[in-house]
Amino acid sequence: MSREKQGFRDTIAQLNEMFPDKGALTRNEVAKFLGVNRSTTYNWKIQFNPVTKRVTKADFARQICI
């Protein structure tokens, strides 16, 4: 069984605090959370669902944690 990445729970808590009523985030919301421009999220290779163009909070937290 794999372990959670360091900082995963803290990141989820911050995401829930900033976006309490959302389960999946748009590219603009991800950029707002990270404090960067929307185009930077493309450079950082954050993977979004190709159909819905969103990423779940858990998937996003896994991608940005150490």
Side-chain angles (χ1 to χ4, degrees), residues 2 5-6 12 16 26-27 31-33 39 48 56-58 60 65:
S2 64
K5 292 184 176 183
Q6 185 178 349
I12 288 289
N16 286 332
T26 64
R27 193 168 292 275
K32 180 180 176 184
F33 178 77
S39 62
F48 289 80
T56 64
K57 290 180 188 176
F60 176 56
C65 288

Side-chain angles (χ1 to χ4, degrees), residues 11-35 54-57 60:
T11 304
I12 288 289
Q14 290 173 345
L15 285 166
N16 286 332
E17 184 179 319
M18 193 169 200
F19 305 105
D21 57 341
K22 301 206 181 232
L25 305 174
T26 64
R27 193 168 292 275
N28 287 335
E29 292 165 339
V30 167
K32 180 180 176 184
F33 178 77
L34 294 173
R54 294 176 182 261
V55 62
T56 64
K57 290 180 188 176
F60 176 56

